[in-house]
Amino acid sequence: MSNLISNLTSDQNVKQQDTKRILAKKAAEREVLKENRRKERAEKLKERTYVEEFDRGVYDIKNPNTYEIMLKKGLNEEIVREISSIKNEPDWMLEKRLAALKIYHKLKNPNWGPDLSELNMDEIATYIRPKAQMESNWQEVPDEIRRTFELLGIPEAELDYLSGVGAQYDSEVVYHNMKDYLALQGVVYTDFESAVEQYPEIIQEYFGTCLKPNLHRYSALHYAVWSGGSYVYVPEGVHVDIPLQSYFRMNAPGAGQFEHTLIIVEKGGSLHFIEGCSAPRYNTINLHAGGVELFVKEGAKLRYSTIENWSRNMYNLNSKRAIVEKDGVIEWISGSFGSRVSMLYPASILIGEGARSEFTGITFAGAGQTLDTGAQVVHKAPHTYSTVETKSISKGGGKAIYRSLVQVDEGAYGCKSNTDCQSLMLDAQSRGDTIPTIILKNDDVDFGHEAKIGRIDDQAIFYLMSRGLSEEDAKAMIVRGFAEPVAKELPLEYAVEMNELINLELKGAIG
Amino acid sequence: MTNVNIKVKELRGNTLPALTWNWMNVNDVKIDLQNKQKIPYTAMQGVGKIDQELKQTFYDLDHGISEEVMLMNDEQCNLANHWRISDSEPIEVRLPQSAGNPLLVDQNQIVVPPLQKGTIVLYNYSEDDSRVERNSTILVDVKNDAAVNVVLIQRLNEKSVSNVSIVARVGDGARLNLATVELGAGNTVFHYMVDMEGFGAESHVKTAYLGSGNNHLDLFYHVRHIGEECISDIQVNGALMDHAVKKFRGTIDFVEGCSGSDGNEEEYTILLDDTVRSIAVPLLLAHEDDIVGNHAASAGQIDDEQLFYLMSRGLSRKESEGLIVESRMTPTFDQIPNEELRLDLRKEVHARILRR
Amino acid sequence: MSVMLEVSDLKVAVDDVEILQGVDLEIRRGEVHVLMGPNGAGKSTLARTIMADPQFEQVEGDIYFEGENINDFSTDERAKLGIFLTFQNPLEVAGISVEDFLRTTKMELTGEDISIIKFKRELQGHMQDLDLNQIYAERYLNVGFSGGEKKKGEILQMSVLNPDLVMLDEPDSGLDVDAVRIVSQTVADFLSDKKKSCLIITHHSVILESVKPDFAHILIDGKIVKRGGPELIERVNNEGYNWIREELGLEKVHDEVLD
């Protein structure tokens, strides 16, 4: 018996020794493999140099800070009343502002998404009136301000391929003009203050009904201190064949911009609206909390394009929302390049049968940026359709987060929805997250979602280099190709601008 | 019996590693564990002895459905198992529950020593129609170059509550295959979290579920790529009928330094009734660029063309639907070594669809 | 011989576009009919409507099988009556093996329990006839099959399920010469007892050398514009459809492809 045990023990010993030997061998082999694979990967990834800050050319030109009015920093009832009185507003608008302010004080920063703790409203001036009146002739706009817009190419674009332009400088619109033939067809395109004054019934009926003040903290803030923005009205059956553009420029440091855009496209009408934004860089925090409300009526079509290039000291907490009726179409084209932190998720509420939403977006997050962007679609009516196509690029430690919602409600039968989101990471310091939510409340839906995340395919670089491109050019070409689905949706000149922005961003990343 | 001191506040768990809009109610889930006492479980004797050190290692990690649920598991534990898996026959553990065994609070440790391979099946089911609760933790430690198949089958009745937290660690060149079958419990909360720490570690998950009646299923996966060149996939396939609600929340987390990793998640839902709810939150979190992450999800009714094809061969509509749902679950069922059990599950799925 | 299938004044639409504009067709027991016509004429639509494909709406007309009006019969009910259709692009069903699928279906059709062993033997016999590798039975239905394997699979299902009326929708397209011969022979053997009927949609004549057709119908623009015997098939094969268009005063199509 004792023999048996000792045998067993020695067997076990042998077995244990075997195991140890095999393990040691495996471990040694693995070390070699690890070493080799690391070398291979290092070879692939090579050392890259990063340019922390780079010249963003015309976007960075600062003007001296001379203002007619600059309210003191901070937010309270007194300031809200002051904005209202400067604008000489009707009482109902002041009421709305005060109600929104109450909501703002009740709401907290979201417990999800980017960190907003750095943003302190006590340090933000909510209203800054430039030394300028609103003009409809560029020559009347003060030289300094005009020069800024000229460098941004706005007056030139107006001549070449726009049918109307609005230009906002800090809190007020300094230029607004539209081609006469559109006015003759009943199209209205004006700054939002003029709209409140001239079309009070319409504004009262629509204002704050699509994008509600209680949606989140910064939509409440927007409604409390809104200033500037655009109002567009496209009458039934009218097709605005050439785009309108509103450009928002922020010059003052430590300030906020809160423009309100409200667009109504009546039955069977169509419009392409372009929104551009930029600001020079300062070392203080700036805030942009605009509000966009879009009403797309039966069979109407609205394309809303945005190229956003805020400076890297901007918190861009913008809210955009469209209500789409029967057979109406909303198309969002969204390019997010600038800002320190962005939280932007344009929403389409499809309330009429056959309504459609198409979202195409690109986000490019560089060093120090956290761009949390995406889209929301709520299918509330049967046979409504949506597509979401997004591209995210992150580099130099930038964070690009794709966040979305697709919801199909009870009774919204026969809906189709397709999402495709791709993220490209240009280095190991960067982050790319994908956070989609899908809520389906009936069975008659056709839903698909695809997401991909990764780096530039070495094979693709190899292929292009084998045709004679430098590695840098090959990578740039691949990134441009990646962005192409968005670029092709933009008017040519804007596609060129976007490609320039990408090249500008890439200059720091690849070298 | 000892009273366990549990706070009265509502239990919540399975919190997303990256939160999103609160109003959508997908950041966490309500836990419906009502039992406050320690009641013995008599259908099985514990196997082996719990390795306290191992337990502590896992408790140090942020793991499980929630801290409270893990605490309850520790305090109410009435079955403790410790397995060392070695190259041998598959282990099949039956965990029946009934009026006589209304509570199963099990702690399981599955340790797979280096170079070993094995399979373990934990099968939890109702024997009668009484309400039962389960709160289970399963720790899986897959050492270097080992491989294990873990199969979890859950078939409690509709009144019952199932909470299962499986937490795993996978070493160099090791592999964990997890197959889960969720065919029961009115309230199912499932949590899988794996740390792929080793070089070339792998985690492969296949889930099959059928939600019917008023079932509420919360399927939560958190796969962390930590070591270099780790490979993972999550494949979730299922069907929903009646008033069933399913939340799939899967995260593939590429931690900085997991160069050369590859992670995939796929979720397909067949919607059989107008009254179902299907929610999906598939996250990809990348803190590393030298990776490939993919996610695909789709949901909808059974394709008409597919139905027409099967019906043109003489199968009734329901029979065809049953076949298609069953076919989606096959990759998961194929992980079950016991053929009889496999057939039994197939039959159950089929029968439930035909009964509709 | 008794009439097996009767189609009268059949009008079929998809998304409100009328594809079949009043088709009449009568197939008696033991007969082989060929349905020919240019691409897009509505040949597959006719076969799929007879099989009650929900994507096609039967706007007008009647379909009778063995004297019974089957307008309201669902697809599976028609299959149970003994109607069978081969698909041009059979669907993939991952997770269900060919053998599992066919045994389940056969039991459903016959209402009898069939032993696994007996069925396996029968299936292997049919597979040999079609020159299909034995492993084929264990593969998932149509998943990863080559074009040829899919087509043969459809014929294999026909052999196993043993229907009375087979509708073959281009059973020969995309097959190599040997495969066409094998498929043709299997179909010919299947029909040899003259108790079954067949409707073939094809552009090729090879299959028709084995499966000798009794009648041919030419479908153009949703109508059967000409009927005849084997001589009609030969003429179409040699000359195409333009002479028919000419006879009927229809506009000629110049770049018609005869594939």
Side-chain angles (χ1 to χ4, degrees):
Chain A
M1 189 68 192
S2 66
N3 237 346
L4 204 66
I5 290 172
S6 73
N7 273 345
L8 201 71
T9 322
S10 76
D11 268 3
Q12 271 181 342
N13 278 338
V14 170
K15 215 177 157 194
Q16 268 179 10
Q17 275 165 11
D18 273 358
T19 309
K20 271 185 187 156
R21 217 185 50 234
I22 297 170
L23 272 178
K25 197 172 152 229
K26 282 234 173 203
E29 280 169 11
R30 185 153 35 232
E31 277 315 311
V32 175
L33 180 69
K34 266 189 198 173
E35 211 40 57
N36 289 340
R37 297 286 291 125
R38 276 182 194 147
K39 268 187 208 147
E40 277 172 38
R41 283 200 306 268
E43 190 64 28
K44 275 189 332 199
L45 295 168
K46 280 195 191 125
E47 270 305 305
R48 297 193 192 101
T49 48
Y50 302 102
V51 179
E52 262 306 303
E53 278 308 323
F54 50 89
D55 183 12
R56 298 186 318 143
V58 297
Y59 301 108
D60 266 339
I61 293 166
K62 297 171 192 173
N63 289 338
N65 302 310
T66 48
Y67 299 102
E68 195 169 294
I69 302 172
M70 178 161 179
L71 290 189
K72 66 170 190 281
K73 292 183 176 182
L75 179 66
N76 53 40
E77 193 178 321
E78 189 192 337
I79 285 173
V80 170
R81 282 183 185 278
E82 206 172 333
I83 293 172
S84 187
S85 97
I86 291 168
K87 291 183 181 294
N88 209 4
E89 276 173 1
D91 286 347
W92 62 263
M93 187 55 92
L94 175 64
E95 294 305 319
K96 282 192 192 283
R97 286 183 187 277
L98 293 172
L101 181 68
K102 277 205 183 107
I103 297 172
Y104 170 80
H105 283 309
K106 267 187 221 148
L107 295 176
K108 289 196 176 83
N109 279 341
N111 62 344
W112 50 272
D115 179 15
L116 301 178
S117 57
E118 236 186 5
L119 181 62
N120 181 358
M121 278 313 291
D122 295 337
E123 295 298 321
I124 302 276
T126 53
Y127 182 80
I128 295 161
R129 178 193 286 255
K131 279 191 175 158
Q133 300 295 316
M134 191 177 82
E135 306 292 349
S136 56
N137 180 346
W138 280 111
Q139 293 316 310
E140 308 289 325
V141 176
D143 287 353
E144 187 182 283
I145 296 175
R146 191 187 64 239
R147 220 169 27 245
T148 306
F149 285 109
E150 275 171 0
L151 285 168
L152 292 165
I154 308 301
E156 197 188 330
E158 183 178 6
L159 283 178
D160 293 349
Y161 47 85
L162 296 171
S163 58
V165 161
Q168 179 160 342
Y169 194 78
D170 290 323
S171 295
E172 292 291 346
V173 176
V174 295
Y175 175 86
H176 228 288
N177 192 26
M178 181 179 67
K179 298 231 158 55
D180 292 341
Y181 77 99
L182 287 176
L184 289 174
Q185 292 181 70
V187 177
V188 178
Y189 177 38
T190 178
D191 65 299
F192 205 71
E193 282 80 356
S194 305
V196 173
E197 199 183 314
Q198 290 166 27
Y199 312 98
E201 295 86 15
I202 295 181
I203 300 301
Q204 247 182 310
E205 184 186 340
Y206 287 93
F207 183 74
T209 59
C210 175
L211 182 74
K212 299 210 166 85
N214 59 5
L215 192 66
H216 56 77
R217 194 168 193 222
Y218 294 90
S219 72
L221 173 67
H222 167 82
Y223 278 102
V225 297
W226 75 266
S227 180
S230 297
Y231 166 65
V232 186
Y233 180 83
V234 179
E236 188 171 332
V238 173
H239 299 281
V240 180
D241 46 356
I242 302 172
L244 301 177
Q245 183 184 32
S246 286
Y247 200 95
F248 302 97
R249 175 76 179 176
M250 248 176 111
N251 185 62
Q257 196 170 53
F258 307 95
E259 83 287 353
H260 194 84
T261 302
L262 197 157
I263 299 177
I264 301 166
V265 185
E266 292 284 3
K267 201 169 165 180
S270 71
L271 171 70
H272 182 185
F273 186 85
I274 301 170
E275 180 191 65
C277 339
S278 71
R281 189 193 159 87
Y282 292 103
N283 290 323
T284 54
I285 283 172
N286 276 18
L287 169 64
H288 175 236
V292 175
E293 300 188 274
L294 309 176
F295 298 87
V296 183
K297 302 292 180 74
E298 189 176 329
K301 184 177 170 185
L302 172 59
R303 170 172 280 218
Y304 196 94
S305 303
T306 306
I307 297 267
E308 176 269 301
N309 187 28
W310 294 118
S311 54
R312 303 281 165 91
N313 56 323
M314 179 71 83
Y315 275 73
N316 181 35
L317 309 176
N318 214 7
S319 310
K320 299 180 179 181
R321 207 160 247 255
I323 292 178
V324 189
E325 296 182 13
K326 188 170 183 284
D327 298 325
V329 180
I330 177 76
E331 296 173 353
W332 301 96
I333 314 295
S334 187
S336 297
F337 294 91
S339 83
R340 177 198 202 90
V341 170
S342 268
M343 291 177 82
L344 177 61
Y345 327 97
S348 308
I349 318 296
L350 308 176
I351 61 163
E353 196 159 346
R356 184 183 293 271
S357 161
E358 290 172 20
F359 183 93
T360 312
I362 184 162
T363 294
F364 197 130
Q369 290 184 287
T370 301
L371 305 186
D372 197 315
T373 61
Q376 303 181 71
V377 186
V378 183
H379 293 258
K380 285 191 166 297
H383 303 289
T384 48
Y385 311 96
S386 68
T387 58
V388 176
E389 184 178 1
T390 66
K391 309 276 177 179
S392 312
I393 305 167
S394 45
K395 66 125 192 142
K399 293 180 194 172
I401 298 139
Y402 167 77
R403 188 184 301 274
S404 70
L405 166 69
V406 173
Q407 176 168 323
V408 180
D409 280 357
E410 295 99 336
Y413 302 116
C415 293
K416 272 190 189 164
S417 174
N418 251 305
T419 302
D420 183 352
C421 48
Q422 300 190 10
S423 308
L424 193 60
M425 317 233 319
L426 297 181
D427 53 60
Q429 289 72 41
S430 303
R431 279 181 58 175
D433 292 352
T434 308
I435 310 178
T437 302
I438 299 130
I439 301 176
L440 307 176
K441 298 185 182 179
N442 81 69
D443 65 330
D444 188 7
V445 295
D446 183 345
F447 173 84
H449 174 109
E450 271 184 61
K452 244 186 182 53
I453 195 158
R455 55 193 296 274
I456 295 179
D457 182 13
D458 296 316
Q459 283 302 309
I461 297 173
F462 169 71
Y463 178 75
L464 291 177
M465 288 171 72
S466 80
R467 300 298 133 99
L469 289 180
S470 71
E471 186 175 343
E472 186 181 328
D473 288 346
K475 284 185 178 173
M477 181 177 277
I478 290 163
V479 174
R480 272 199 304 279
F482 183 76
E484 172 60 18
V486 184
K488 75 168 198 282
E489 296 300 328
L490 292 169
L492 184 65
E493 292 72 11
Y494 295 91
V496 170
E497 182 188 339
M498 195 181 84
N499 274 335
E500 274 168 11
L501 279 171
I502 289 176
N503 284 342
L504 203 59
E505 299 288 346
L506 281 177
K507 250 196 332 204
I510 299 162
Chain B
M1 286 187 201
T2 49
N3 275 320
V4 177
N5 183 22
I6 302 292
K7 287 176 208 140
V8 201
K9 76 166 189 200
E10 186 182 89
L11 281 179
R12 301 195 71 89
N14 272 359
T15 306
L16 276 185
L19 298 180
T20 189
W21 294 292
N22 291 303
W23 65 268
M24 297 187 304
N25 200 18
V26 297
N27 283 333
D28 61 2
V29 71
K30 191 176 166 246
I31 310 292
D32 188 23
L33 281 172
Q34 291 169 13
N35 181 69
K36 303 280 184 284
Q37 293 177 326
K38 187 164 174 162
I39 308 168
Y41 178 72
T42 58
M44 182 189 165
Q45 294 283 315
V47 175
K49 194 170 167 291
I50 289 289
D51 177 341
Q52 293 299 332
E53 201 179 320
L54 176 65
K55 187 169 148 186
Q56 214 42 56
T57 330
F58 277 93
Y59 272 87
D60 286 345
L61 303 170
D62 178 19
H63 76 296
I65 291 173
S66 78
E67 213 182 312
E68 287 98 333
V69 173
M70 301 311 278
L71 208 65
M72 282 170 82
N73 177 271
D74 211 26
E75 289 175 339
Q76 300 176 5
C77 177
N78 58 15
L79 177 67
N81 296 311
H82 179 97
W83 288 281
R84 273 177 82 81
I85 304 284
S86 58
D87 300 330
S88 60
E89 284 294 298
I91 301 167
E92 187 177 306
V93 184
R94 300 220 165 204
L95 301 164
Q97 288 190 256
S98 59
N101 273 313
L103 182 71
L104 172 57
V105 182
D106 49 323
Q107 281 184 8
N108 306 279
Q109 296 186 333
I110 300 168
V111 176
V112 197
L115 294 170
Q116 300 296 314
K117 287 182 175 54
T119 296
I120 182 163
V121 181
L122 301 182
Y123 177 26
N124 175 226
Y125 56 97
S126 283
E127 284 180 321
D128 57 24
D129 62 355
S130 62
R131 182 185 186 279
V132 301
E133 281 188 5
R134 183 184 185 202
N135 180 356
S136 170
T137 60
I138 302 164
L139 309 183
V140 188
D141 195 2
V142 196
K143 307 282 195 195
N144 294 359
D145 300 299
V148 65
N149 301 313
V150 177
V151 182
L152 307 176
I153 302 161
Q154 190 266 112
R155 248 171 119 182
L156 295 177
N157 64 37
E158 209 188 314
K159 292 177 193 159
S160 301
V161 176
S162 164
N163 289 272
V164 175
S165 305
I166 166 161
V167 183
R169 186 167 69 179
V170 187
D172 283 345
R175 178 184 171 114
L176 169 58
N177 295 323
L178 173 68
T180 70
V181 178
E182 301 286 353
L183 292 183
N187 188 323
T188 299
V189 179
F190 173 79
H191 179 103
Y192 172 59
M193 155 123 187
V194 62
D195 278 346
M196 293 191 287
E197 295 175 348
F199 179 89
E202 295 185 30
S203 155
H204 302 275
V205 184
K206 290 186 173 68
T207 293
Y209 67 86
L210 176 61
S212 60
N214 288 310
N215 284 3
H216 190 293
L217 284 116
D218 187 66
L219 308 175
F220 182 99
Y221 307 80
H222 187 181
V223 173
R224 296 212 293 194
H225 288 247
I226 299 168
E228 292 156 89
E229 307 201 9
C230 292
I231 296 171
S232 75
D233 63 51
I234 303 171
Q235 284 176 32
V236 177
N237 273 290
L240 295 171
M241 53 198 243
D242 307 330
H243 289 85
V245 179
K246 176 238 40 178
K247 280 184 189 168
F248 161 82
R249 298 181 296 144
T251 303
I252 299 185
D253 207 339
F254 296 96
V255 177
E256 204 167 333
C258 72
S259 305
S261 280
D262 191 328
N264 284 288
E265 53 179 330
E266 284 174 38
E267 200 239 348
Y268 297 104
T269 311
I270 296 176
L271 308 170
L272 293 168
D273 282 312
D274 188 14
T275 42
V276 301
R277 287 265 192 290
S278 172
I279 293 155
V281 188
L283 270 55
L284 292 173
L285 307 178
H287 294 209
E288 170 63 50
D289 69 326
D290 188 13
I291 51 112
V292 179
N294 285 298
H295 161 248
S298 75
Q301 293 166 322
I302 291 173
D303 181 36
D304 279 344
E305 184 73 8
Q306 208 166 22
L307 268 184
F308 173 57
Y309 182 65
L310 295 178
M311 286 169 75
S312 82
R313 301 296 131 105
L315 298 177
S316 71
R317 191 183 177 90
K318 280 191 177 169
E319 191 78 33
S320 307
E321 286 173 348
L323 200 67
I324 290 167
V325 171
E326 217 186 294
S327 75
R328 291 288 190 83
M329 298 184 175
T330 301
T332 310
F333 289 165
D334 283 350
Q335 307 292 310
I336 302 168
N338 178 343
E339 191 173 346
E340 205 179 318
L341 181 55
R342 205 160 62 211
L343 281 174
D344 206 26
L345 294 171
R346 268 182 181 272
K347 268 189 201 149
E348 156 115 21
V349 169
H350 212 88
R352 260 157 78 181
I353 299 217
L354 286 191
R355 259 204 316 269
R356 199 154 65 91
Chain C
M1 270 182 289
S2 65
V3 176
M4 186 179 280
L5 177 80
E6 189 190 337
V7 174
S8 85
D9 193 29
L10 185 69
K11 292 184 180 168
V12 173
V14 59
D15 292 335
D16 297 331
V17 178
E18 204 162 270
I19 297 177
L20 295 183
Q21 305 172 353
V23 169
D24 296 297
L25 183 68
E26 197 178 282
I27 299 179
R28 289 165 182 273
R29 193 169 281 278
E31 288 176 353
V32 175
H33 291 239
V34 180
L35 186 62
M36 303 178 95
N39 292 331
K43 304 184 296 290
S44 294
T45 305
L46 177 59
R48 292 181 80 115
T49 306
I50 294 169
M51 202 75 238
D53 184 342
Q55 70 168 303
F56 297 109
E57 189 193 348
Q58 188 177 330
V59 187
E60 252 182 78
D62 293 291
I63 303 173
Y64 298 88
F65 188 77
E66 302 277 14
E68 186 179 11
N69 188 312
I70 59 166
N71 281 3
D72 295 332
F73 281 47
S74 64
T75 301
D76 57 316
E77 285 167 340
R78 295 184 194 200
K80 286 199 179 86
L81 289 178
I83 308 177
F84 182 89
L85 169 69
T86 64
F87 283 49
Q88 281 198 46
N89 298 303
L91 278 126
E92 301 184 357
V93 186
I96 300 294
S97 71
V98 170
E99 186 174 334
D100 265 4
F101 169 70
L102 279 173
R103 201 172 73 92
T104 313
T105 316
K106 182 92 182 173
M107 290 196 294
E108 184 83 9
L109 283 176
T110 57
E112 291 163 18
D113 234 5
I114 303 169
S115 91
I116 295 179
I117 296 165
K118 191 173 157 234
F119 184 76
K120 204 183 263 294
R121 212 177 302 132
E122 188 195 330
L123 182 64
Q124 305 256 313
H126 288 302
M127 280 164 49
Q128 258 161 28
D129 293 345
L130 283 161
D131 195 24
L132 282 166
N133 193 308
Q134 296 305 307
I135 207 122
Y136 184 89
E138 285 151 38
R139 290 169 65 187
Y140 291 152
L141 187 58
N142 295 324
V143 177
F145 286 14
S146 69
E149 284 172 330
K150 282 188 179 172
K151 295 273 175 190
K152 282 185 176 178
E154 293 293 285
I155 301 300
L156 176 68
Q157 290 184 31
M158 175 195 80
S159 304
V160 172
L161 301 178
N162 196 24
D164 291 322
L165 171 67
V166 294
M167 298 187 288
L168 308 174
D169 191 355
E170 301 198 14
D172 44 4
S173 67
L175 291 183
D176 63 41
V177 187
D178 288 337
V180 171
R181 202 164 295 135
I182 291 166
V183 165
S184 305
Q185 197 50 53
T186 310
V187 174
D189 290 349
F190 183 76
L191 299 172
S192 62
D193 65 356
K194 290 285 169 195
K195 284 178 181 158
K196 300 181 184 304
S197 310
C198 178
L199 177 69
I200 305 184
I201 298 170
T202 183
H203 291 290
H204 301 267
S205 51
V206 182
I207 191 168
L208 302 179
E209 285 165 16
S210 312
V211 186
K212 300 213 161 42
D214 304 298
F215 302 98
H217 310 264
I218 312 294
L219 190 70
I220 293 179
D221 298 342
K223 288 187 197 119
I224 291 184
V225 293
K226 200 157 186 69
R227 298 174 204 263
E231 75 292 342
L232 180 59
I233 302 167
E234 205 179 316
R235 184 146 185 213
V236 168
N237 277 332
N238 293 333
E239 300 176 35
Y241 298 105
N242 272 341
W243 64 276
I244 301 173
R245 290 182 201 271
E246 216 160 283
E247 260 184 32
L248 298 165
L250 293 171
E251 203 179 311
K252 265 216 235 176
V253 179
H254 292 288
D255 53 353
E256 189 174 286
V257 183
L258 274 175
D259 61 358

